Amino acid sequence: MPIVPKYENNVPGVVESGRGFGAPVDNVRPSFDYENVMNRALQPWSQLADSTIKIEAYHRDTVVKAQADEQLDAYNKEVQTTLYDPDKGYFAQRGKNAVTGWDQAQSDLQSIYDKHLSQIDDPDVKEAFKSNALQRLNSVRQKTVVYRNEQNIRWRAQTSKDHADNLVEEFALGGFSPDGQRTMASLMNEIEYQGRMQGWDEETLKRQKTAYQSLAYAGAYGNAMLTDPEGAMRHFQTTGQKIMTPDVSQRVLMELYKTSKPIMASKLAAMGGISALSLTSGAVARLHGDLDLGERVRNQQQAQQGLGTPPKVSDKVLNTSGYRCCNPLNVKVFGNKWNGLIGQDERGHGIFSRPEEGIRAGVKVLQSYSNKYGINTIEGIISRFAAADPATLRAYVDNVSHASGYAPDEQLDVKNPDVLRKIIPPMIRQEIGDVPYSDETINAGIHRGLGLETDKAQTTLLEQEEERLPRLTSSDLILNPDAKTGYAVFDNLPRALKFDLLKSVKQGSDQNISGQKGQLSLAIKNGLAQARNTGDIGGIPTETDFIQVYGQLEGTEKFRAAQQEAQFNANLYMMPGMSVADMESMYRQLTPEKGDPQYAERMKQRDLWQKAMNQTQKERAEDPVQFAFSGMPDLGLQPITDWANQTAVINQIQKRIDNSGIISERFGTPKKLLSNSEVTAWLQSLNGMDAPHQGAYLQRLSDTLTGGGDNVEPLAILANQIGGKNSTITNALAVAATPNGRESNGAMRQMQGNYIRTSKLGDAYKEEADLRTQLSGILGVADGSPQYEAMVCQIMNEHCYANSVGSQDLSESITNVYGQLVTHNGKKIFLPTQLSKAPGLHVFGNASAFEDILSDIGKDFAKSKKTFRYAGQQINGNQLSNLLSSGPLQYVADGVYYIVNGLEYVRDSKGNPVVIDTSPYIQRNQNAPQINYGEPNYERITGPVRYVGTD
């Protein structure tokens, strides 16, 4: 231990004229009688009158006093500065500086005295100054001695305190090693020295020792928790908290708990989580045998050990969650309502009332493997039962095989109790480290799993024993922070910290399971995306990955579901370019024969193919052009991106017209010319134009796509694709597809006419009410329907445009767009527009020609042997032929009609309306010689009209 300096009889003396200044000098008398001089100077002049000597003496004394006072004032100021200056004065020094600086202060005081004394030449003045200055000097010297002694004590105390503080830091670094203990002994000696020096009583000395010990231990724990927080907590619980003051002990405990909490939580989680921890008291009681923890603990102990007398095993085995939860095979719940199940731990393992029930559940699992999946070898059973890495799994199989005497690939009868008695114990040993049960317990579990009974005598004994022995119940799973877990650091924590730690264990377990599921879910998602994008299903996690997260049964089921979904995605990857015929051919190839040993698996593959085929066909039907880009690269179709380049757009659409039939046939879809995204982009481009430019663009498109001929199908396809997205453009394309529309720039007239109508330019728009009256009831749907409104808009657009460039009445506008409107047998219809293009039929009006066409159709019906339904009655072909001239017709499309009976149609034998299509008959008779039919016998309403709806 370092030597603490002691200061005894070490006050230095200041020598002047052979004397020391250890104490004030009281008997020094001045040689000059200063008082008598002053008294004489102050005597009344009456006593000195008439005396020149007395006057001179008085004057002399006055001068001497003034000079002496002046010198004394200067002297006092320097002394005051030397002693009391706040920066450099002696009394401003502390501790060691005051002690070591005392000699210099005495020297400075003597120098000030000598300096002022030497400055006086007059002997009387010198004597007067010296007398007073010496008194002042001795007085201040006495004060400095007292001050030096006080500061010397403080210096010694501070030196000792600094030494003690250094020892505290030294102990904190050395910790609880032998060197640290020697440092602690030195610290206690130093505190005792302080006590002797400062006169502490025994109680004060004890408090100081405890305080310094607490600081030293706190520092040591602060360093120890950086490398071994759990070890520091253990040492604190056994040693530190018994020594330290309560306030420091509490602060250290909280710091140690904060740093060691993750380690403790990890160990508790490894013990099975808080559900299993509540069952640890019974296991600890079995290990030590002398724990007196009450009836609850004794019941747990007896329930966990099973029947009979169990063998002695290590505490490591008894501390496993499999033992404490009476589930030695670590069977997971997975929604099963196992017999004797009272709960489950944080990892999903079942908690059973007795070990026989846990063994029974394991036997049931093995039975399921055999019955459902045909798994009955040790290698097959273990591979499915245990979620482990390949090396651990291999060791598991080898250990069970060696212990049971069965080869890994040997076929076993798992319904035989003798077989199970050989494989269940080594499986238990592999799961929890040993077999902590009697043969009676294992046999009872096996027989219950098989649904068998032992011999009657043994059964009776077992039943009697089980009736007597306690069982675990759900009340045992209620968290008990007072339970002895055998984990000393946890068991010795304050109750409040136990609650906090157990709560963290629960949260950590939930987060861990959630995190594992999240990672697996992400891996599955990536694997499915890989299968969809590349056709490779190898990205799906392995079955082991699933089992580790979800357990054996549920993990296997989820793995197979993920594999099926990946195969479905791989099928989708293959199908975009396949023809319907190829898809159906593959479907037939995947269909197994009845005797196929893999019939069930092949049926699943076929069903996955059919599911993918149906989805692909549905998606292709909605957007076949988009599928053609990637699925039919040989066609060379490219997405349209530059819609401002009208020539390039029209050329690409023309290219698609040439291939639309190929796409439609291969995909089995309706013909389309644009992808869905292209329709949106094209409409956005058109909406950026004014009406004249829109009309010109659409007319150019119309002329190009039809080639100036009768192929109006492309325009109809585009009109159908646009549909309700833009009724104006739809109407323009529909009109452009009619014979009159092709001849009269119908698309351009519609776009510009729509602008004129909606802007109410001119007066033609005012005739819309009259038009609606004429068109009322012509369609098979109600007036005001979308189809009806489209028809009105088409005719009014034409009417407004025609009257903006000339003069045209409403009937001519109707004729230019749709055709001739007549009343046929009391029902308004539009006559076929082709009649005006058939000169062989055009004599006194289209009406007469139309009757002739209906007559030809009726003749063909009369020859038919089919039957029909009309007005609730069955009719034949002859009767239907007569109806064509007498029954009302319902306009459907250009030249196409139904025969109506009120709100009903004439229907065929399948219930479908009979379609009267005049187009082939008009084309057949176009070149027939002209015949005069006379005036038509029904009212002509207006010119020819053709309607193309938006549906």
Side-chain angles (χ1 to χ4, degrees):
M1 171 181 174
I3 298 175
V4 180
K6 299 182 180 179
Y7 304 96
E8 298 176 355
N9 301 322
N10 58 347
V11 179
V14 178
V15 180
E16 178 183 75
S17 301
R19 299 190 53 176
F21 288 90
V25 181
D26 296 329
N27 60 350
V28 177
R29 296 181 58 84
S31 59
F32 178 78
D33 192 349
Y34 184 80
E35 295 295 331
N36 288 335
V37 174
M38 294 297 101
N39 290 333
R40 287 200 307 272
L42 297 175
Q43 287 179 354
W45 282 100
S46 59
Q47 297 177 6
L48 302 176
D50 302 328
S51 175
T52 303
I53 296 174
K54 290 181 179 180
I55 295 173
E56 292 177 352
Y58 174 78
H59 178 72
R60 171 67 178 166
D61 289 344
T62 302
V63 171
V64 168
K65 181 179 183 301
Q67 291 179 353
D69 287 344
E70 180 180 359
Q71 199 67 29
L72 281 171
D73 288 342
Y75 168 75
N76 285 332
K77 288 181 180 179
E78 281 199 61
V79 170
Q80 188 77 9
T81 299
T82 299
L83 295 177
Y84 295 103
D85 183 271
D87 295 324
K88 298 180 180 180
Y90 175 71
F91 290 135
Q93 300 180 41
R94 298 288 185 270
K96 178 181 177 181
N97 292 336
V99 174
T100 58
W102 189 83
D103 289 338
Q104 183 62 45
Q106 305 311 309
S107 177
D108 291 343
L109 290 174
Q110 186 67 42
S111 296
I112 294 171
Y113 171 79
D114 293 342
K115 183 183 73 172
H116 286 280
L117 188 63
S118 65
Q119 291 176 354
I120 303 173
D121 296 328
D122 190 322
D124 291 336
V125 175
K126 180 176 289 191
E127 286 297 322
F129 169 80
K130 186 176 180 181
S131 176
N132 284 273
L134 285 175
Q135 287 184 355
R136 174 67 172 165
L137 182 61
N138 283 327
S139 176
V140 297
R141 279 176 171 168
Q142 183 179 9
K143 291 180 180 181
T144 60
V145 169
V146 173
Y147 182 73
R148 184 203 61 184
N149 291 339
E150 292 175 351
Q151 295 302 315
N152 185 42
I153 294 174
R154 289 188 179 183
W155 178 26
R156 292 165 63 192
Q158 184 63 45
T159 301
S160 180
K161 183 180 183 302
D162 291 342
H163 186 214
D165 291 343
N166 290 335
L167 290 173
V168 167
E169 295 181 3
E170 185 177 339
F171 180 83
L173 294 174
F176 310 108
S177 64
D179 287 341
Q181 296 307 312
R182 285 190 288 270
T183 301
M184 179 58 68
S186 298
L187 175 60
M188 294 298 100
N189 290 337
E190 191 68 35
I191 303 306
E192 289 179 357
Y193 168 73
Q194 291 183 18
R196 290 194 302 272
M197 183 178 61
Q198 300 190 43
W200 294 340
D201 57 28
E202 287 297 325
E203 185 63 29
T204 303
L205 179 62
K206 182 179 179 180
R207 286 200 304 270
Q208 287 296 99
K209 282 186 174 182
T210 303
Y212 270 95
Q213 269 188 318
S214 298
L215 293 177
Y217 270 72
Y221 287 130
N223 290 326
M225 72 176 63
L226 298 176
T227 56
D228 184 13
E230 185 192 29
M233 173 64 86
R234 186 183 301 107
H235 188 278
F236 170 82
Q237 291 173 333
T238 57
T239 305
Q241 66 180 357
K242 300 176 183 178
I243 297 174
M244 303 167 71
T245 60
D247 57 334
V248 177
S249 176
Q250 183 63 24
R251 290 198 298 270
V252 170
L253 171 63
M254 296 311 297
E255 288 297 320
L256 288 171
Y257 174 71
K258 183 169 63 176
T259 55
S260 62
K261 182 178 178 180
I263 298 174
M264 292 189 290
S266 176
K267 288 190 174 181
L268 291 173
M271 294 170 68
I274 60 174
S275 297
L277 287 174
S278 60
L279 301 171
T280 55
S281 295
V284 174
R286 174 179 169 182
L287 175 66
H288 297 285
D290 57 352
L291 290 181
D292 184 14
L293 298 177
E295 183 179 359
R296 176 179 179 178
V297 174
R298 288 193 296 273
N299 289 343
Q300 286 185 1
Q301 175 188 355
Q302 293 175 2
Q304 290 167 344
Q305 70 183 18
L307 300 170
T309 303
K312 185 175 179 60
V313 294
S314 69
D315 58 341
K316 183 177 181 181
V317 175
L318 299 180
N319 200 39
T320 60
S321 61
Y323 175 79
R324 285 177 285 143
C325 297
C326 296
N327 185 6
L329 289 167
N330 287 322
V331 175
K332 290 198 172 184
V333 177
F334 304 129
N336 294 311
K337 296 181 179 180
W338 300 109
N339 287 352
L341 184 71
I342 63 171
Q344 64 184 65
D345 68 12
E346 282 69 16
R347 293 176 293 176
H349 296 114
I351 301 176
F352 295 91
S353 61
R354 291 187 58 80
E356 305 94 280
E357 302 293 358
I359 295 171
R360 173 191 176 278
V363 171
K364 286 293 186 182
V365 171
L366 301 190
Q367 298 299 302
S368 176
Y369 290 173
S370 177
N371 296 334
K372 289 186 177 181
Y373 310 109
I375 299 174
N376 55 10
T377 65
I378 289 178
E379 187 162 18
I381 290 171
I382 302 304
S383 297
R384 189 174 180 85
F385 188 86
D389 59 84
T392 304
L393 194 64
R394 186 69 261 164
Y396 198 152
V397 172
D398 291 343
N399 291 340
V400 174
S401 175
H402 178 75
S404 65
Y406 296 120
D409 58 351
E410 184 177 348
Q411 298 289 326
L412 303 177
D413 179 8
V414 293
K415 296 181 180 179
N416 186 333
D418 293 332
V419 173
L420 292 176
R421 271 192 287 268
K422 292 181 179 180
I423 64 175
I424 291 296
M427 289 182 67
I428 292 176
R429 182 175 291 106
Q430 190 71 29
E431 291 288 338
I432 64 174
D434 206 341
V435 183
Y437 308 110
S438 65
D439 292 340
E440 293 93 330
T441 299
I442 295 175
N443 287 333
I446 292 174
H447 279 79
R448 290 182 185 182
L450 296 175
L452 302 177
E453 291 186 1
T454 56
D455 64 85
K456 188 173 182 180
Q458 187 178 9
T459 302
T460 302
L461 289 175
L462 291 175
E463 289 177 351
Q464 291 175 349
E465 185 174 4
E466 283 199 293
E467 185 69 25
R468 178 177 56 82
L469 292 176
R471 293 175 175 270
L472 298 178
T473 66
S474 58
S475 63
D476 290 295
L477 303 183
I478 299 174
L479 178 62
N480 178 16
D482 298 324
K484 292 297 181 181
T485 66
Y487 179 29
V489 176
F490 171 78
D491 291 340
N492 291 328
L493 285 176
R495 207 167 190 271
L497 295 185
K498 284 185 180 181
F499 269 119
D500 180 73
L501 183 56
L502 292 173
K503 181 179 177 182
S504 298
V505 172
K506 174 64 175 173
Q507 292 175 345
S509 175
D510 293 343
Q511 292 173 358
N512 183 47
I513 294 174
S514 177
Q516 289 180 354
K517 290 183 178 179
Q519 292 176 359
L520 183 62
S521 177
L522 180 60
I524 294 171
K525 182 179 179 180
N526 292 336
L528 294 176
Q530 177 178 318
R532 183 69 178 89
N533 297 328
T534 66
D536 180 11
I537 65 173
I540 295 296
T542 65
E543 184 174 8
T544 300
D545 295 328
F546 280 83
I547 293 173
Q548 287 177 342
V549 174
Y550 291 102
Q552 187 65 50
L553 297 178
E554 187 179 4
T556 299
E557 292 174 0
K558 288 184 176 294
F559 169 68
R560 293 188 174 184
Q563 273 196 321
Q564 290 183 3
E565 189 172 357
Q567 186 59 59
F568 171 73
N569 284 358
N571 292 344
L572 289 177
Y573 169 79
M574 298 170 57
M575 288 183 177
M578 294 182 69
S579 68
V580 174
D582 290 340
M583 289 181 182
E584 293 175 346
S585 175
M586 179 61 72
Y587 175 81
R588 290 190 294 270
Q589 292 179 30
L590 290 173
T591 303
E593 297 181 359
K594 289 293 184 180
D596 193 324
Q598 295 183 334
Y599 181 84
E601 186 62 30
R602 291 184 183 276
M603 284 296 292
K604 289 180 181 179
Q605 295 298 319
R606 189 203 67 172
D607 293 343
L608 287 174
W609 181 265
Q610 184 180 33
K611 180 181 177 182
M613 181 172 66
N614 293 340
Q615 179 172 321
T616 300
Q617 288 179 312
K618 179 182 178 181
E619 292 175 353
R620 290 198 309 200
E622 293 173 352
D623 200 356
V625 176
Q626 185 66 43
F627 274 83
F629 292 150
S630 58
M632 301 179 69
D634 53 305
L635 299 182
L637 303 183
Q638 298 294 327
I640 301 173
T641 56
D642 185 8
W643 293 97
N645 188 341
Q646 296 183 12
T647 300
V649 170
I650 292 174
N651 289 340
Q652 180 62 215
I653 293 177
Q654 183 65 58
K655 187 174 184 179
R656 296 181 187 182
I657 292 172
D658 298 337
N659 293 282
S660 61
I662 300 174
I663 297 173
S664 177
E665 180 181 2
R666 185 175 183 82
F667 290 169
T669 59
K671 291 183 179 180
K672 292 187 178 182
L673 300 179
L674 299 175
S675 68
N676 293 343
S677 60
E678 287 176 336
V679 169
T680 301
W682 187 40
L683 290 178
Q684 289 176 347
S685 176
L686 284 170
N687 289 335
M689 304 178 186
D690 56 21
H693 285 88
Q694 285 178 337
Y697 184 11
L698 291 181
Q699 191 59 50
R700 179 185 177 192
L701 177 68
S702 172
D703 294 341
T704 303
L705 298 187
T706 60
D710 295 332
N711 183 20
V712 298
E713 184 183 33
L715 297 179
I717 293 172
L718 287 176
N720 287 332
Q721 279 201 260
I722 295 172
K725 296 182 180 68
N726 190 309
S727 59
T728 302
I729 295 175
T730 301
N731 289 334
L733 292 173
V735 171
T738 66
N740 288 343
R742 291 196 302 274
E743 295 175 0
S744 60
N745 296 327
M748 181 271 294
R749 296 167 74 90
Q750 281 290 310
M751 297 304 294
Q752 296 188 22
N754 181 74
Y755 173 76
I756 294 169
R757 177 175 62 85
T758 55
S759 301
K760 296 186 177 180
L761 303 178
D763 295 327
Y765 73 91
K766 297 178 181 180
E767 299 183 61
E768 182 175 331
D770 184 21
L771 175 65
R772 288 181 178 276
T773 300
Q774 295 189 46
L775 298 180
S776 179
I778 195 171
L779 298 179
V781 293
D783 295 352
S785 65
Q787 299 92 324
Y788 177 84
E789 292 301 321
M791 179 177 63
V792 171
C793 288
Q794 289 171 346
I795 296 172
M796 286 307 301
N797 289 347
E798 162 65 21
H799 190 56
C800 290
Y801 175 80
N803 283 282
S804 69
V805 297
S807 176
Q808 182 171 288
D809 61 27
L810 187 58
S811 63
E812 289 180 285
S813 297
I814 296 174
T815 300
N816 288 343
V817 177
Y818 273 83
Q820 186 177 2
L821 177 62
V822 299
T823 299
H824 176 264
N825 295 333
K827 175 73 173 170
K828 294 178 185 179
I829 63 170
F830 290 114
L831 296 180
T833 58
Q834 293 187 62
L835 289 179
S836 63
K837 307 301 178 181
L841 297 174
H842 190 68
V843 184
F844 293 111
N846 291 339
S848 298
F850 181 65
E851 293 289 354
D852 192 51
I853 292 298
L854 291 180
S855 177
D856 289 346
I857 295 173
K859 293 176 182 178
D860 287 344
F861 274 124
K863 298 176 183 178
S864 172
K865 296 181 180 180
K866 296 180 180 179
T867 58
F868 307 92
R869 299 288 297 179
Y870 178 68
Q873 301 293 324
Q874 180 174 304
I875 61 174
N876 56 30
N878 285 323
Q879 292 172 312
L880 180 59
S881 176
N882 294 331
L883 284 176
L884 287 179
S885 60
S886 61
L889 300 178
Q890 173 65 63
Y891 174 80
V892 178
D894 186 11
V896 180
Y897 310 89
Y898 295 150
I899 304 174
V900 298
N901 174 27
L903 298 177
E904 294 293 329
Y905 301 118
V906 175
R907 299 181 180 274
D908 59 19
S909 59
K910 296 181 180 180
N912 299 318
V914 174
V915 178
I916 307 300
D917 188 356
T918 62
S919 298
Y921 291 89
I922 294 174
Q923 294 173 5
R924 186 197 314 171
N925 293 290
Q926 274 187 343
N927 298 322
Q930 296 186 17
I931 302 175
N932 187 347
Y933 291 95
E935 281 297 316
N937 192 25
Y938 53 82
E939 178 186 2
R940 178 182 183 276
I941 299 178
T942 185
V945 180
R946 181 177 186 274
Y947 166 73
V948 177
T950 58
D951 287 351

